[in-house]
């Protein structure tokens, strides 16, 4: 008689953190409950865990992570040597977690994303989906400004031809094989919510209501939001620079017509030099030129960053399965640490 051995998938929940000392205890509490419930329901392996990635916090975030790691078998941590930014910290966690996980869920520490939805992610994973996107039901809880700018951003990205999921941030499940393929993307200007859909593989969506931040302040002020949006636009589409080129052609055509009109006026002796129109033309053309130069500069800047091939992040401490603390440098071409 054959004995059937059931192997449950190992889940790792990756949580990038930056100055999250106020909310971290509650995050640990809720994610521990999620893991315990999923294990008792025989949906994931008992070796599943939470991986906190401290992105160079200036408060007691890492101290708390070490404390939780010492008291709970579920809690692990990764400390970056300096602040690398949310997307790089998230990628560091994903690349580390994929070495010992069958599936990885990414979620922010602020608990705005519903931790109970992770169960639906796992159910979809068992159904055969490699990527499960968490999608916000609506943005009624946002301010008018944030709602309008976010909707405008998604519509703009779609109009530029970028495949992106509307109202999806970085709350998603990814299987091991999708993360292995994500590792092949050697981009420095990270925009993961635009990169992941490029992978393909069977994917689905799970809808949920986003909550207010549990504690602390948002780590995404307007300045960071604008920079993130600009990264997304210029990293995935050349449409803006083509638009500038098209506008240049149109202005050239208009200038030819205006030149002919001026010549005819001169021949007929009816040409009157207008100071206002001259000044307006100078300012208008000057503005267009500056806009074009700025956009071209944005692309050149990204090329400059790409060719340098600097490491995306540097790990200072590692509290994952091996429990060893060692310094590891991750070049963009290899991504994953030597602690695998």
């Amino acid at each position: 008689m054959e004995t059937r051995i059931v192997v449950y998938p190992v889940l790792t929940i990756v949580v990038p953190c930056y100055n999250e000392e106020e909310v971290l205890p509650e995050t640990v509490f809720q994610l521990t409950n999620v893991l315990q419930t999923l294990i008792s329901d025989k949906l994931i392996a008992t070796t599943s865990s939470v991986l906190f990635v401290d992105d160079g916090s200036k408060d007691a975030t890492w101290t708390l992570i070490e404390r939780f790691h010492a008291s709970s078998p579920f809690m692990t941590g990764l400390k970056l040597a300096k602040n690398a930014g949310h997307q790089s910290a998230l990628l560091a966690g994903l690349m580390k977690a994929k070495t010992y996980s069958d599936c990885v869920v990414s979620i922010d520490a602020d608990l705005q994303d519903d931790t109970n939805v992770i169960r639906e992610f796992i159910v979809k994973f068992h159904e055969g989906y490699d990527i499960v996107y968490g999608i916000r039901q609506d943005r009624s809880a946002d301010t008018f400004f944030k709602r309008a700018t976010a909707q405008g951003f998604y519509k703009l990205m779609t109009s530029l031809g970028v495949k992106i999921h509307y109202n999806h941030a970085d709350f998603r499940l990814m299987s091991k094989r999708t993360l292995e393929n994500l590792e092949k993307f050697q981009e420095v200007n990270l925009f993961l919510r635009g990169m992941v859909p490029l992978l393909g593989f069977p994917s689905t969506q799970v809808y949920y209501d986003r909550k207010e931040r549990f504690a602390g302040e948002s780590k995404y002020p307007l300045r960071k939001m604008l920079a993130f949006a600009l990264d997304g636009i210029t990293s995935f589409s050349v449409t803006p620079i083509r638009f500038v080129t098209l506008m240049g052609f149109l202005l050239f055509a208009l200038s030819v017509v205006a030149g002919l009109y001026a010549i005819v006026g001169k021949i007929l002796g009816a040409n009157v030099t207008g100071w206002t129109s001259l000044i307006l033309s100078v300012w208008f053309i000057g503005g267009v030129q500056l806009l074009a130069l700025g956009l071209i500069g944005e692309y050149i800047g990204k090329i400059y960053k790409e060719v340098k091939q600097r490491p995306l992040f540097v790990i200072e401490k590692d509290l994952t399965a091996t429990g060893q603390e060692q310094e590891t440098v991750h070049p963009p071409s290899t991504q994953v640490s030597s602690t695998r």
Side-chain angles (χ1 to χ4, degrees):
M1 180 177 179
E2 292 184 2
T3 301
R4 186 180 178 185
I5 300 175
V6 180
V7 179
Y8 301 107
V10 176
L11 165 68
T12 299
I13 303 175
V14 173
V15 188
C17 305
Y18 178 68
N19 293 343
E20 300 287 5
E21 63 177 4
E22 294 179 74
V23 72
L24 210 54
E26 180 64 21
T27 306
V28 170
F29 174 74
Q30 291 195 19
L31 293 181
T32 300
N33 285 340
V34 168
L35 289 181
Q36 288 176 333
T37 302
L38 292 174
I39 291 171
S40 65
D41 290 344
K42 300 187 182 305
L43 289 173
I44 59 174
T46 56
T47 53
S48 299
S49 61
V50 176
L51 174 61
F52 290 104
V53 183
D54 180 28
D55 186 19
S57 297
K58 298 175 181 176
D59 61 5
T61 296
W62 180 249
T63 303
L64 289 173
I65 292 172
E66 288 183 309
R67 190 178 303 165
F68 288 124
H69 169 67
S71 61
S72 169
F74 293 127
M75 301 300 145
T76 61
L78 207 61
K79 179 176 174 56
L80 303 188
K82 68 178 185 63
N83 179 251
H86 176 270
Q87 295 289 280
S88 293
L90 177 55
L91 183 66
L94 293 176
M95 292 301 104
K96 181 65 182 179
K98 79 170 180 56
T99 60
Y100 53 84
S101 309
D102 297 304
C103 56
V104 178
V105 170
S106 55
I107 185 172
D108 289 340
D110 56 15
L111 295 177
Q112 287 188 281
D113 298 320
D114 189 353
T115 56
N116 295 318
V117 175
I118 294 175
R119 180 188 179 84
E120 295 183 52
F121 285 7
I122 297 299
V123 171
K124 294 294 183 184
F125 176 72
H126 280 287
E127 291 174 359
Y129 292 102
D130 285 277
I131 304 174
V132 185
Y133 298 98
I135 307 292
R136 295 178 61 167
Q137 295 268 21
D138 57 59
R139 288 186 169 271
S140 56
D142 290 348
T143 62
F144 172 78
F145 176 78
K146 188 172 183 179
R147 184 167 59 250
T149 53
Q151 290 175 342
F153 171 72
Y154 283 110
K155 289 178 181 176
L156 176 61
M157 292 294 283
T158 302
S159 66
L160 293 176
V162 181
K163 187 178 180 182
I164 188 171
H165 292 271
Y166 189 70
N167 277 345
H168 165 68
D170 288 307
F171 184 34
R172 71 177 80 84
L173 175 146
M174 297 181 70
S175 67
K176 187 183 187 72
R177 65 171 178 169
T178 59
L179 290 169
E180 288 173 344
N181 281 278
L182 180 64
E183 188 179 12
K184 298 174 183 175
F185 285 64
Q186 300 181 15
E187 299 186 26
V188 173
N189 298 286
L190 294 176
F191 186 67
L192 290 172
R193 67 188 67 177
M195 293 166 62
V196 173
L198 296 178
L199 294 171
F201 294 102
S203 63
T204 187
Q205 302 175 343
V206 171
Y207 291 87
Y208 68 100
D209 292 319
R210 203 156 195 247
K211 306 171 185 175
E212 293 290 333
R213 185 181 175 85
F214 184 82
E217 298 179 350
S218 171
K219 305 305 182 296
Y220 258 89
L222 179 61
R223 177 179 58 80
K224 281 191 174 182
M225 287 176 59
L226 290 175
F228 186 61
L230 188 60
D231 262 348
I233 293 170
T234 56
S235 296
F236 279 84
S237 176
V238 295
T239 301
I241 205 165
R242 287 175 179 166
F243 175 75
V244 172
T245 306
L246 176 62
M247 194 163 59
F249 277 114
L250 290 175
L251 286 175
F252 175 75
L254 287 174
S255 68
V256 171
V257 174
L260 290 174
Y261 176 79
I263 292 173
V264 171
K266 181 71 174 178
I267 294 173
L268 297 177
N271 195 15
V272 178
T273 303
W275 180 85
T276 303
S277 59
L278 177 63
I279 293 299
L280 286 175
S281 298
V282 170
W283 278 100
F284 176 72
I285 294 174
V288 170
Q289 286 178 332
L290 287 176
L291 176 64
L293 287 174
L295 274 172
I296 293 170
E298 183 67 27
Y299 282 96
I300 292 175
K302 291 189 180 304
I303 295 171
Y304 173 67
K305 290 181 179 177
E306 295 285 352
V307 298
K308 284 188 294 187
Q309 293 285 296
R310 288 178 177 170
L312 293 179
F313 49 84
V314 178
I315 294 176
E316 181 182 342
K317 295 182 180 179
D318 185 351
L319 298 178
T320 54
T322 59
Q324 297 175 348
E325 297 183 357
Q326 55 183 320
E327 183 175 327
T328 309
V329 177
H330 298 255
S333 57
T334 56
Q335 302 287 341
V336 187
S337 74
S338 59
T339 57
R340 296 178 197 179

